[in-house]
Amino acid sequence: MAELEVLATGPQCLVQDLGRPGLAGQGVTASGAVDRVSLGQGNRLVGNEVGAAGLEVLLGGLVVRAPQDLLVAVTGAGCPVTIDGRPVAFGAPVTVRSGSELRLGQAVHGLRSYLTVRGGLEPPGRFGGSLSTDTSSGLGAKPVHSGDRIPIGQAIAAEPRVNLTIPAVSTAGEIVVGVTRGPRADRLTPASRAALTEVPWSVTSDSDRIGMRLSGFRLQLADDSALPSEPIVRGAIQVPPSGEVIVFLADHPTTGGYPVVAVVDDADVDRLAQCPPGTRVRLQGRQGPSWPTTG
């Protein structure tokens, strides 16, 4: 089996597919790519099964050597891509010749780029039907380091039918994400419930694959009495007694004891996960019975 040779990884490089949903009742988080749309785009570009495993690269810096001629694509956070020092297309299928080096430069915008290889990646560590590295529990494939050799699999679906995709959503300016009222929204004071969707938020540096913290307003709880642990879903917005806003991402815990006051629309979680620190975010509440702003 051919093996992709890793020469450098940048700040973080993980093997990710679409995760292991359906195991939360056993305490196992779904994990998977934080930007599932971009991973899926990459797999379509090279003709893989949509859930084939690729590399999730934080802020660029990945360098790999091809063991044979490979069809690859780079999607997600826009970054310069070169083969043996020559610029090649981002968001399009490109061929890396045997022995050549593919390099991902620093992300121009966004956080995470995805490298997909025709056939998908098949390192050891599959658990619950997935290779995804869960940074919280340690399940799945090990984090990727310089010197690793990653086996290339056979997750081929068909000949590629897409030849171009755009980078992940630009995070310049302010992004707007939809939210739905959570099961514990009534734990907030009326003023804080209104502020959640009215004030501008900012992504803090204290964010990772588990959760993203937003600053801009300290929410107040009308009822801060202890809650029993309750299920947590991807995109859940939790408010601890400190009044912080925490948006849970791919490696979130399966349960939590702080109130979940809202949930980010599933499709918008992928966009939010590409936002670097300092990005301005506005939470847009669904109006009507699902999001009363008073009472």
Side-chain angles (χ1 to χ4, degrees), residues 115-212:
L115 172 65
T116 48
V117 178
R118 183 162 171 81
L121 301 179
E122 194 64 38
R126 186 174 292 277
F127 179 86
S130 170
L131 287 165
S132 286
T133 305
D134 185 336
T135 58
S136 177
S137 68
L139 294 175
K142 294 180 180 179
V144 178
H145 299 291
S146 175
D148 287 352
R149 292 177 178 270
I150 307 175
I152 299 171
Q154 297 295 322
I156 296 173
E159 290 301 311
R161 296 182 179 179
V162 181
N163 60 12
L164 185 66
T165 187
I166 61 173
V169 61
S170 173
T171 54
E174 180 180 81
I175 75 161
V176 179
V177 299
V179 296
T180 300
R181 177 185 172 97
R184 300 296 179 182
D186 57 356
R187 287 272 175 145
L188 292 175
T189 65
S192 289
R193 193 156 58 245
L196 189 66
T197 55
E198 292 176 359
V199 304
W201 299 95
S202 180
V203 177
T204 76
S205 59
D206 190 15
S207 302
D208 54 23
R209 280 180 48 90
I210 297 172
M212 171 178 286

Side-chain angles (χ1 to χ4, degrees), residues 42-53 116-121 155-158:
N43 278 323
R44 290 185 180 92
L45 286 169
V46 297
N48 284 346
E49 297 170 1
V50 70
T116 48
V117 178
R118 183 162 171 81
L121 301 179
I156 296 173

Side-chain angles (χ1 to χ4, degrees), residues 155-282:
I156 296 173
E159 290 301 311
R161 296 182 179 179
V162 181
N163 60 12
L164 185 66
T165 187
I166 61 173
V169 61
S170 173
T171 54
E174 180 180 81
I175 75 161
V176 179
V177 299
V179 296
T180 300
R181 177 185 172 97
R184 300 296 179 182
D186 57 356
R187 287 272 175 145
L188 292 175
T189 65
S192 289
R193 193 156 58 245
L196 189 66
T197 55
E198 292 176 359
V199 304
W201 299 95
S202 180
V203 177
T204 76
S205 59
D206 190 15
S207 302
D208 54 23
R209 280 180 48 90
I210 297 172
M212 171 178 286
R213 295 178 185 266
L214 303 179
S215 65
F217 187 87
R218 194 163 293 276
L219 300 177
Q220 293 185 332
L221 297 174
D223 181 355
D224 61 359
S225 60
L227 283 168
S229 288
E230 298 177 318
I232 298 290
V233 298
R234 178 179 182 269
I237 298 178
Q238 193 180 67
V239 180
S242 63
E244 295 178 280
V245 171
I246 303 170
V247 183
F248 283 116
L249 302 178
D251 292 347
H252 65 82
T254 55
T255 61
Y258 296 136
V260 173
V261 300
V263 180
V264 176
D265 290 357
D266 192 54
D268 283 342
V269 179
D270 297 273
R271 299 172 60 234
L272 198 59
Q274 287 286 10
C275 295
T279 302
R280 297 195 304 276
V281 177
R282 191 170 295 274

